[in-house]
Amino acid sequence: MQSSVESVLNYEILENARLLTAKNSVADRPVQWISVMEMPVENFVRQNEVILTTAIGCHNDVEKFKGFVQDIIDSNASALMIATGRHVFDIPVEVIELAEQHKFVMIELPWEVRFSAIIEEVMKNINDKQHKDREKSEKVQQELLKMILGDTDLNRISKYIQRQLGYQLLITDRNGFIQTESGHTQEFIERWKNAVIQETFPICQKVNLLNNDPMLRKFSMANLDDHIILQIPVLQISEDPQGYIFVVLPNDLHIVSYLTPFRVAVLEHAATTISLWLSRKNAIEETKLNLRSDFVQEVATGEFVSADQAFSRAKLLGYDLDLPYICLVGFPENFKDLFEKRRQENVSYTQWTESMIRYIEEEIYFAAQSLKREVMMTYQGHQLLIYLEKPAETEYENVVNFLDLIERRLKNLLPEVSISWGIGDFNKGFQGLAESYHQANLAVDIGRRKKGKGQRTFYSDTRIDRVLLTLAQNEEMKKVIMTTIEPLVKYDKQRNMDLIGTLKCYNQSHGNVSQAARALNLHRQSLLYRLRKIESLTGHSLIDPDDLFLLDLSIKTWEIGVVENTNK
């Protein structure tokens, strides 16, 4: 049991000491240190330290005496013992009232009691307690090492540490992703995820719990709703954290009192143990993740020599290529902007991106599990590449539900993230996987060019665009299109009149000037002026079906960016 002011007062040598203030607090005041202190206090007093003093220089000056006591109080000392009879004969009432107001323990000592005798007695008990704590913590260390050598899973290690500390833990990787079944409620886990997304955790800025206590300088602290979260880094050899231990404590707990030498030792041993566990786990997981990621990429790009080779690799990696899959390609649009907006010290863009992708991947796996569908996935070249199992009876409804579920959950966790999606067709057979990827990749590219960012585009809806792409491969066709559209592009850029938008609306209105004017919110004469300007710039008549067809074709081809787009 930790030494307290109450246990110190029970020493025989202090039988004539008189407790003046905070009589109900002595049992709650831990004692970790003891020293003699006279003015000035400055920063020489540590938290949980008993201070012995003669208050020399204070007896004739109540304000100076109060200032001295206030400095001791501000240092979070455990108690102040004042020897009376030489420099101070009676402790002023004002000083006693000050201590009582702060619920600070003040004790009056007879002059004949030697400070050295008190220090000797207190230090003997502290040292005995530290010795017992050291023996106990060494047993914890040995047990943790046995667990590591015995390849014990992290859940059992975490539960053992929790029993020693008395409160629940969160063990995470360097990005704040929980690595164990923590035993917390789902509501708490969701709040934790949100806090990690908002970059509240892990705590990047170093905030010491106590400036004067060397034991606690490696710990950081923050609040999460009605809990205090104590953070302890799990370090690699490079001194960069590869993970963290978070102790979840109640808001009303006195942190420094809770962090006894035994608990600090347990946390240090736990950090070492979990560092070893994470190093081993990370090496295995990184290898497995890289193998699975490379496999999906190789399937998509058709790099396998034979289907047998691919099926053999898939089986080893836990994939089933006998299932029917549709490929989806996702392109995160605004990562760099979000990183600049939320930039924090000591966090690189690579680390931040890795954290974001991990959360998106978690939601993708969750959506697949919810729909009871298998999924294969990788993130390479700034793209999410997903193969989603297709039910036998439907082709696209499953994909729509899948993306709806992902985006609904991401809106809660990452509301500002924008992802463009391209969805390929289902193609039978092993070779169909690469074809579906090609289609999804083409669909997301067309969608981003034509619809803008953050949209979904199905390959089956791009037939006209694919025809235009094919036509535009011909150099003569490119020349015709650009010659037709370029005067309008340049005029729009110089005058900001949007002749191209005007012509599109006119075509969509089937040549009905009044309907087009209403749609564009223009006066009829203003629209007629624009139409005449289009004819004069292009040399084509809007009442000639061939000319109108060529203008429409040129605009559609220009919009998807297959010819030079000087306005984008």
Side-chain angles (χ1 to χ4, degrees):
M1 186 175 179
Q2 187 173 8
S3 296
S4 65
V5 174
E6 183 179 51
S7 62
V8 170
L9 285 172
N10 287 329
Y11 298 163
E12 186 178 346
I13 194 174
L14 292 176
E15 62 180 350
N16 294 322
R18 189 161 66 99
L19 179 61
L20 301 178
T21 60
K23 297 179 181 180
N24 295 326
S25 301
V26 290
D28 300 326
R29 293 279 182 170
V31 176
Q32 293 178 327
W33 326 89
I34 185 166
S35 65
V36 177
M37 176 66 59
E38 305 294 352
M39 292 192 301
V41 174
E42 297 183 351
N43 64 342
F44 295 110
V45 175
R46 290 171 289 195
Q47 188 155 348
N48 295 339
E49 185 167 21
V50 171
I51 302 300
L52 303 170
T53 186
T54 65
I56 188 171
C58 294
H59 65 290
N60 290 324
D61 193 329
V62 173
E63 290 304 316
K64 187 180 288 187
F65 205 152
K66 286 174 64 178
F68 172 61
V69 172
Q70 185 66 59
D71 287 344
I72 299 292
I73 294 170
D74 292 342
S75 299
N76 291 313
S78 296
L80 177 63
M81 296 185 175
I82 304 173
T84 58
R86 174 72 62 87
H87 303 291
V88 173
F89 292 94
D90 293 300
I91 300 173
V93 173
E94 295 89 342
V95 173
I96 295 173
E97 289 176 349
L98 173 67
E100 191 64 63
Q101 180 184 346
H102 289 276
K103 297 181 180 179
F104 178 69
V105 178
M106 184 181 292
I107 299 159
E108 182 180 347
L109 297 176
W111 183 260
E112 59 271 14
V113 178
R114 291 177 177 270
F115 284 177
S116 58
I118 299 173
I119 293 172
E120 181 181 3
E121 190 73 20
V122 171
M123 290 308 300
K124 179 180 179 297
N125 281 277
I126 289 175
N127 289 334
D128 287 346
K129 179 68 172 61
Q130 287 177 346
H131 177 71
K132 290 176 182 177
D133 283 344
R134 188 160 51 249
E135 286 185 334
K136 189 177 174 184
S137 70
E138 284 173 358
K139 289 180 181 178
V140 171
Q141 182 185 35
Q142 290 169 7
E143 186 62 31
L144 288 171
L145 286 174
K146 284 180 186 177
M147 289 182 172
I148 283 292
L149 294 173
D151 201 17
T152 306
D153 68 77
L154 194 57
N155 285 329
R156 283 186 58 195
I157 294 173
S158 174
K159 288 175 182 176
Y160 177 77
I161 297 168
Q162 286 181 172
R163 287 198 299 272
Q164 309 307 314
L165 297 174
Y167 289 98
Q168 285 184 307
L169 301 181
L170 286 173
I171 298 175
T172 76
D173 65 9
R174 65 179 183 176
N175 298 311
F177 290 95
I178 299 172
Q179 301 293 295
T180 62
E181 295 177 5
S182 58
H184 294 281
T185 64
Q186 190 58 40
E187 182 184 1
F188 179 86
I189 297 300
E190 289 299 322
R191 292 203 305 270
W192 176 263
K193 284 184 178 181
N194 282 321
V196 172
I197 288 294
Q198 297 301 320
E199 299 177 9
T200 305
F201 299 100
I203 305 166
C204 295
Q205 190 173 1
K206 189 67 178 175
V207 180
N208 293 330
L209 294 175
L210 261 182
N211 293 331
N212 301 330
D213 194 334
M215 285 200 308
L216 307 182
R217 286 179 184 168
K218 65 184 73 174
F219 299 162
S220 300
M221 186 178 69
N223 291 93
L224 179 61
D225 297 331
D226 55 346
H227 295 92
I228 298 171
I229 308 295
L230 188 66
Q231 174 179 296
I232 302 93
V234 176
L235 299 177
Q236 290 176 317
I237 296 173
S238 64
E239 294 302 311
D240 293 325
Q242 63 172 333
Y244 295 93
I245 301 170
F246 295 94
V247 187
V248 182
L249 303 169
N251 251 338
D252 57 355
L253 186 69
H254 192 268
I255 295 297
V256 178
S257 300
Y258 169 75
L259 285 173
T260 61
F262 169 70
R263 292 193 179 106
V264 170
V266 168
L267 285 169
E268 288 177 341
H269 298 326
T272 302
T273 302
I274 292 166
S275 177
L276 292 171
W277 191 94
L278 286 176
S279 294
R280 182 174 60 195
K281 180 251 187 186
N282 288 345
I284 296 170
E285 285 297 317
E286 188 172 350
T287 301
K288 184 178 178 181
L289 185 64
N290 289 339
L291 288 172
R292 289 168 70 97
S293 180
D294 290 344
F295 172 79
V296 175
Q297 186 71 23
E298 288 171 28
V299 165
T301 52
E303 295 180 28
F304 281 99
V305 175
S306 68
D308 288 342
Q309 182 192 23
F311 275 78
S312 177
R313 280 266 303 278
K315 189 175 181 181
L316 288 172
L317 295 171
Y319 288 139
D320 184 358
L321 290 187
D322 287 318
L323 297 173
Y325 290 100
I326 288 179
C327 186
L328 297 81
V329 169
F331 193 92
E333 296 286 2
N334 56 345
F335 272 11
K336 286 200 179 239
D337 292 339
L338 289 178
F339 174 71
E340 291 299 329
K341 185 177 177 181
R342 298 181 175 186
R343 180 190 287 273
Q344 285 194 356
E345 294 180 8
N346 305 321
V347 179
S348 68
Y349 177 67
T350 301
Q351 270 185 308
W352 185 87
T353 301
E354 180 184 319
S355 175
M356 293 300 102
I357 291 299
R358 281 287 303 278
Y359 265 114
I360 293 171
E361 287 178 340
E362 273 196 5
E363 298 309 323
I364 289 170
Y365 282 123
F366 174 84
Q369 289 172 359
S370 298
L371 296 173
K372 297 181 179 178
R373 299 288 172 240
E374 292 296 320
V375 69
M376 302 188 296
M377 177 172 52
T378 183
Y379 177 77
Q380 293 190 24
H382 308 294
Q383 282 188 339
L384 286 159
L385 195 170
I386 304 166
Y387 282 105
L388 176 68
E389 180 190 353
K390 180 191 85 68
E393 65 278 6
T394 64
E395 187 155 338
Y396 295 121
E397 182 182 348
N398 186 57
V399 172
V400 172
N401 293 338
F402 176 71
L403 291 178
D404 284 347
L405 183 54
I406 291 170
E407 292 184 351
R408 188 161 58 247
R409 286 178 61 85
L410 286 180
K411 189 170 286 186
N412 293 328
L413 290 172
L414 305 166
E416 296 174 290
V417 167
S418 173
I419 303 176
S420 299
W421 293 99
I423 300 96
D425 288 341
F426 168 66
N427 297 272
K428 289 184 179 180
F430 171 69
Q431 298 300 331
L433 296 174
E435 181 63 23
S436 186
Y437 166 69
H438 171 74
Q439 294 167 350
N441 212 23
L442 187 59
V444 76
D445 184 49
I446 290 173
R448 293 178 74 232
R449 292 169 184 269
K450 189 175 180 181
K451 300 179 182 178
K453 299 175 180 178
Q455 304 297 318
R456 300 177 191 173
T457 306
F458 288 84
Y459 179 75
S460 57
D461 295 335
T462 63
R463 287 187 290 270
I464 293 175
D465 302 300
R466 283 181 273 135
V467 169
L468 297 175
L469 284 170
T470 303
L471 288 174
Q473 302 299 318
N474 183 280
E475 290 299 323
E476 183 64 26
M477 185 64 183
K478 282 185 182 179
K479 185 176 179 182
V480 170
I481 291 170
M482 207 57 230
T483 302
T484 304
I485 198 73
E486 190 170 29
L488 299 181
V489 174
K490 286 185 176 179
Y491 193 86
D492 280 350
K493 192 173 182 180
Q494 293 168 359
R495 304 293 183 88
N496 195 29
M497 189 173 280
D498 193 20
L499 293 181
I500 290 175
T502 300
L503 182 53
K504 284 175 61 180
C505 185
Y506 177 75
N507 277 332
Q508 290 165 0
S509 301
H510 306 290
N512 187 317
V513 175
S514 298
Q515 183 179 335
R518 283 195 300 272
L520 291 168
N521 198 25
L522 287 174
H523 191 276
R524 179 184 173 86
Q525 292 302 317
S526 297
L527 176 59
L528 289 172
Y529 171 78
R530 289 192 184 187
L531 296 177
R532 288 194 295 271
K533 178 60 69 175
I534 291 169
E535 290 180 323
S536 67
L537 288 170
T538 62
H540 294 289
S541 170
L542 297 183
I543 60 174
D544 186 317
D546 290 339
D547 284 359
L548 197 59
F549 172 77
L550 179 59
L551 284 166
D552 189 45
L553 178 68
S554 298
I555 288 174
K556 283 183 168 64
T557 309
W558 174 82
E559 280 186 324
I560 62 172
V562 293
V563 295
E564 182 183 1
N565 188 335
T566 58
N567 198 37
K568 290 189 178 183

